Amino acid sequence: MLHDKIIVLTGGADGIGWECAKAYAKAGAVVCILDKSQIPISRLNELHTQQNIAITCNLTNEEEVATAMTTIIEKFGRIDAIHNNAGIAHPSKTLDQTSNQEWDLLMNVNVKSILYTTRYALAYLKESQGCILNTSSLTATIGQDNHAAYVATKGAINALTKAMALDYAPYKIRVNTVSPAAINTPTLQSWSKEQPNKEQMQHYLDKLQPLGNMPTGDVIADACVFLLSNAARFITGTILPVSGGAELGYRSII
């Protein structure tokens, strides 16, 4: 479904990002991972092709993002898609308890990084009539206690997706967002350990989604493959829940 596409994937070192990297490569794409963590060649080789690359990049640093995009263009000559997946969830706090530094870091990683990737790849996406995909969260539409700043960033991503979809539609560039609920990733496991009732948290997360226990990131990756593929060629400005029905209404969680 993604044969020969050059896909830039931020935050692809683990969790949902790594599952997407594997799915994109399996679907025929060349994956260019931008992540603050270095990915060993041995792990990159798990993608089963020689062309995929990983660039260690601080996505809150505009110069590093610009350099990374230049590197990708020099190597592959084009960009067909960007998946803005990088994100952090820390800290678990109400708004008044959130420090300036914590607020700024969340906004910079989760939202401002999208500004930078778009700024330095848009010209190439215009040439390829490519697409942009963002990773949001179900919390953006239903809220979450003790995560005000995080929820704010995900709400911003949803609104930004719709604005970008309108702005770039004249260039045949599609912009969509995938919205997970509870997905078993290193980030979520780290988050659950911060909670005061961490012993009950796993049970809660497994019961959150009517379709079954908390899944791994492959369920998100499958949806992302579709949204980046030609099968979704007339879909733009969409916030797609991949949530197992977590948002569908009141029910007993025992």
Side-chain angles (χ1 to χ4, degrees):
M1 293 179 71
L2 302 177
H3 177 68
D4 201 35
K5 289 187 181 292
I6 310 299
I7 298 178
V8 178
L9 169 64
T10 71
D14 58 23
I16 290 173
W18 181 245
E19 292 297 331
C20 287
K22 292 190 292 183
Y24 296 160
K26 184 177 180 180
V30 173
V31 185
C32 307
I33 299 174
L34 308 187
D35 199 288
K36 69 181 190 319
S37 301
Q38 186 173 6
I39 302 177
I41 294 297
S42 58
R43 188 146 193 254
L44 197 61
N45 288 341
E46 293 177 26
L47 301 182
H48 302 300
T49 66
Q50 298 299 314
Q51 288 185 293
N52 304 295
I53 63 171
I55 300 172
T56 305
C57 177
N58 177 359
L59 291 158
T60 69
N61 184 302
E62 183 174 5
E63 184 177 341
E64 289 191 27
V65 174
T67 300
M69 294 300 180
T70 298
T71 299
I72 292 166
I73 291 299
E74 288 176 349
K75 185 172 180 63
F76 299 111
R78 71 178 198 278
I79 294 173
D80 296 301
I82 298 174
H83 181 177
N84 294 299
N85 175 73
I88 58 173
H90 179 84
S92 301
K93 294 181 179 179
T94 60
L95 185 61
D96 62 290
Q97 295 174 337
T98 304
S99 71
N100 291 349
Q101 292 77 16
E102 289 166 338
W103 174 274
D104 288 345
L105 183 60
L106 273 161
M107 287 292 173
N108 287 341
V109 174
N110 293 7
V111 184
K112 199 169 187 178
S113 62
I114 299 175
L115 166 65
Y116 292 155
T117 58
T118 303
R119 176 175 288 164
Y120 292 101
L122 183 63
Y124 308 112
L125 291 175
K126 288 179 179 179
E127 291 178 5
S128 63
Q129 295 188 350
C131 53
I132 298 171
L133 177 62
N134 302 318
T135 299
S136 183
S137 166
L138 190 60
T139 64
T141 54
I142 66 173
Q144 184 177 13
D145 62 343
N146 292 312
H147 289 79
Y150 171 73
V151 172
T153 66
K154 295 305 183 178
I157 288 171
N158 285 6
L160 190 60
T161 295
K162 293 180 181 296
M164 293 169 67
L166 287 170
D167 287 340
Y168 303 140
Y171 306 105
K172 306 301 181 185
I173 296 172
R174 299 184 298 106
V175 186
N176 292 294
T177 283
V178 64
S179 181
I183 303 295
N184 193 354
T185 65
T187 297
L188 186 137
Q189 291 299 335
S190 176
W191 168 84
S192 66
K193 292 174 184 176
E194 294 178 2
Q195 307 312 306
N197 56 340
K198 58 184 178 182
E199 293 79 11
Q200 292 80 40
M201 189 55 63
Q202 185 70 39
H203 175 77
Y204 169 77
L205 293 171
D206 279 339
K207 297 300 180 182
L208 183 66
Q209 297 158 126
L211 280 183
N213 287 351
M214 180 173 55
T216 56
D218 62 304
V219 298
I220 308 301
D222 287 345
C224 292
V225 168
F226 165 71
L227 287 172
L228 293 182
S229 76
N230 195 50
R233 61 192 175 275
F234 210 63
I235 298 174
T236 195
T238 293
I239 315 299
L240 178 64
V242 186
S243 59
E247 73 279 18
L248 292 179
Y250 293 119
R251 64 192 182 90
S252 299
I253 300 178
I254 301 174

